[in-house]
C-alpha cells in the first residue's frame, strides 16, 4: 500500500499523486460506492495493487470537506473578486468566506482586473482588509501584483503540520478572471479562459471537474481552478446552524460578547456591539449586509432541507 493525495477525479477515475512524487490513475474499491463515499480531490488515500490492478483502498479521515466545489483537506481558499466586468457580488463572496471559516480553512482575497477601475479595486480591497483578510490586488493584463501573490503562494509551502502537499483553491464568480490569473502565475498550466471556453464546455456537456495543479516543478503547493460559483445553487450550500454564523465573520469576534442581550442575533437589536461597530466604521457595512442576508437564509433552514 502506498499513500498519496487525490489531485483529480473524473468519471470514477482518480489521479493519485504519491508522496514519492509519481502519479497513478486508478479506480476506487467498490465498497466506497456502496457506502456512498466518493474519493474527493484533496483526499489522503492509500492505494493497493500495481498498474492496472491499482485501487484506492483507504480514504483517510478528512480535516475538512467542501461540497461545492467538492474538495477535501483544503489549506487555503483564495476568494477571487473582479473589480468590474462582471460587477463583484460581495454577498456570494461572503457566503464562501463564511463556509471556509466554518470549515476552519484559511482564506485570502484576490481583487482582479485592477487596471480597469483603480477606485473600485481600492474599495473592495479596503472592505476585506478591514475584515481581517490578506488582500492581493492584481491585474493579469498589466502584471500588477502578480509577483506579490506568487511569493505568497510559494510561502505557503513552509507551513508545517499540513499533509504531504498544501492544497489551495481559486474560487469565485464565473468571469472573475481565475483561469487567466492562474495562467499569468503559472504559464505551463494553459487553462482555458473566457467566454469561448465556457461555451465549448457547455456544448460538450463536460462535467465540471476540480483538479489540483502543481505551482512549481518541485514545490509542495498545489492550486485548484474551481468552476464559477454563479453556477451553484446557493440555497443548498454547505449547511451550518444559524448560531454558528456570527463566528464565521472574523471581524465580528471582538464584539460578540459585548452586546446588551446575551441572545443578540446582531441583526437589528438595541445595544448590539456589532451594529455599533458597523456605525463607527470598524466593521465594513457591506459585510454586515451579507451577514444579515445569510442570517435570513439560515434561520429557516434545517439540516434535512439540504
Ligand atoms: N481587463 C482585464 N480583463 C481580464 C483580466 N483577467 C481576466 N480578464 C478577462 O476576464 C474574462 C474572464 O476570465 P477567465 O479567466 O476566463 O475567468 P474565470 O471564469 O474566473 O476563470 C476573460 O475575457 C479575460 O480575458 C485582467 O486582469 N484585466
Ligand atoms: Mg475559468
Ligand atoms: Zn449583537
Amino acid at each position: 500500500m502506498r499513500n498519496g493525495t487525490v489531485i483529480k477525479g473524473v468519471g470514477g477515475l482518480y489521479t493519485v499523486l504519491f508522496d514519492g512524487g509519481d502519479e497513478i490513475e486508478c479506480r476506487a474499491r467498490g465498497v466506497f460506492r456502496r457506502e456512498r463515499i466518493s474519493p474527493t480531490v484533496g483526499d489522503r488515500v492509500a492505494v493497493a495493487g500495481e498498474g492496472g490492478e491499482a485501487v484506492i483502498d483507504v480514504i483517510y479521515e478528512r480535516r475538512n470537506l467542501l461540497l461545492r466545489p467538492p474538495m477535501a483537506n483544503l489549506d487555503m481558499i483564495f476568494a477571487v473578486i473582479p473589480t468590474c466586468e462582471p460587477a463583484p457580488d460581495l454577498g456570494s463572496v461572503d457566503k464562501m468566506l463564511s463556509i471556509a471559516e466554518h470549515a476552519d480553512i484559511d482564506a485570502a482575497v484576490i481583487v482582479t482586473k485592477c487596471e480597469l477601475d483603480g477606485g473600485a479595486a481600492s474599495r473592495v480591497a479596503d472592505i476585506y482588509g478591514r475584515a481581517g483578510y490578506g488582500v492581493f490586488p492584481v491585474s493579469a493584463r498589466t502584471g500588477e501584483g502578480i509577483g506579490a501573490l506568487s511569493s505568497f503562494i510559494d510561502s505557503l509551502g513552509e507551513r508545517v503540520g499540513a499533509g504531504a502537499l498544501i492544497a489551495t483553491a481559486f474560487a469565485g464568480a464565473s468571469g472573475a478572471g481565475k483561469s487567466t490569473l492562474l495562467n499569468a502565475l503559472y504559464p505551463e498550466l494553459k487553462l482555458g479562459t473566457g467566454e469561448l471556453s465556457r461555451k465549448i464546455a457547455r456544448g460538450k456537456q463536460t462535467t465540471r471537474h476540480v483538479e489540483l495543479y502543481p505551482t512549481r516543478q518541485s514545490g509542495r503547493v498545489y492550486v485548484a481552478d474551481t468552476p464559477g460559483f454563479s453556477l451553484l445553487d446557493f440555497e443548498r450550500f454547505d449547511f451550518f446552524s444559524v448560531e454558528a454564523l456570527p463566528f464565521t465573520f472574523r471581524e465580528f469576534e471582538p464584539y460578540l460578547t459585548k452586546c446588551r442581550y446575551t441572545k443578540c442575533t446582531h441583526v437589528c437589536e438595541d445595544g448590539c456591539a456589532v451594529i455599533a461597530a458597523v456605525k463607527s466604521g470598524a466593521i465594513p457595512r457591506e459585510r454586515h449586509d451579507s451577514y444579515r442576508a445569510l442570517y435570513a437564509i439560515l434561520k429557516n433552514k434545517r439540516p434535512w432541507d439540504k
Side-chain angles (χ1 to χ4, degrees):
M1 297 251 272
R2 295 175 70 195
N3 289 334
T5 305
V6 177
I7 57 170
K8 181 180 175 184
V10 180
L13 198 60
Y14 303 95
T15 306
V16 176
L17 173 73
F18 289 120
D19 295 351
D22 51 326
E23 292 177 11
I24 193 172
E25 273 197 348
C26 63
R27 300 193 173 270
R29 275 208 197 287
V31 61
F32 293 125
R33 201 168 45 250
R34 287 195 293 279
E35 292 178 3
R36 292 167 169 247
I37 300 166
S38 307
T40 299
V41 169
D43 265 335
R44 294 284 300 152
V45 297
V47 173
E50 299 282 327
E53 305 288 292
V55 284
I56 294 176
D57 191 46
V58 179
I59 301 174
Y60 293 107
E61 195 182 335
R62 293 161 175 155
R63 283 183 289 129
N64 55 61
L65 176 68
L66 293 184
L67 300 180
R68 279 168 287 272
M71 291 195 76
N73 302 321
L74 265 181
D75 295 291
M76 183 113 195
I77 289 183
F78 290 97
V80 180
I81 313 177
T83 298
C84 51
E85 297 178 21
D89 174 0
L90 300 189
S92 297
V93 169
D94 291 333
K95 182 176 281 180
M96 182 171 66
L97 289 173
S98 193
I99 291 167
E101 295 282 351
H102 189 256
D104 207 15
I105 302 167
D106 200 2
V109 166
I110 300 173
V111 186
T112 56
K113 313 192 192 189
C114 283
E115 92 286 358
L116 291 178
D117 185 342
S122 308
R123 284 192 292 280
V124 175
D126 175 66
I127 291 169
Y128 290 96
R130 279 193 289 147
Y133 289 96
V135 180
F136 298 90
V138 300
S139 166
R141 193 79 25 111
T142 67
E144 176 195 341
I146 302 292
L149 176 58
S150 174
S151 312
F152 177 75
I153 294 173
D154 286 346
S155 76
L156 295 176
E158 283 137 37
R159 290 196 173 193
V160 289
L165 55 79
I166 305 286
T168 70
F170 279 26
S174 182
K178 300 178 292 297
S179 303
T180 304
L181 179 57
L182 282 167
N183 285 337
L185 288 160
Y186 314 112
E188 66 279 8
L189 295 183
K190 299 190 174 66
L191 301 172
T193 62
E195 206 50 53
L196 190 63
S197 75
R198 284 199 292 281
K199 280 211 183 99
I200 291 168
R202 261 204 300 275
K204 278 190 188 161
Q205 297 289 319
T206 43
T207 343
R208 303 191 309 257
H209 83 277
V210 179
E211 179 170 355
L212 280 166
Y213 302 102
T215 59
R216 287 282 178 272
Q217 213 58 33
S218 60
R220 297 176 58 218
V221 184
Y222 280 65
V223 59
D225 186 18
T226 66
F229 59 31
S230 61
L231 298 169
L232 308 178
D233 174 3
F234 271 110
E235 294 309 301
R236 292 154 49 102
F237 73 99
D238 304 50
F239 180 83
F240 55 83
S241 75
V242 72
E243 289 76 24
L245 184 65
F247 302 98
T248 68
F249 281 68
R250 51 170 77 176
E251 74 275 36
F252 289 12
E253 206 261 312
Y255 306 101
L256 293 177
T257 54
K258 301 204 169 77
C259 302
R260 184 177 304 157
Y261 306 111
T262 47
K263 291 214 167 143
C264 187
T265 64
H266 324 296
V267 170
C268 61
E269 288 91 336
D270 288 336
C272 173
V274 171
I275 292 173
V278 174
K279 286 185 178 144
S280 79
I283 290 176
R285 183 167 298 280
E286 294 83 351
R287 291 273 293 167
H288 191 249
D289 290 345
S290 297
Y291 171 81
R292 286 187 311 171
L294 290 175
Y295 186 91
I297 295 171
L298 287 177
K299 185 173 54 117
N300 298 315
K301 273 180 77 78
R302 295 290 174 269
W304 51 86
D305 294 339
K306 273 211 277 192

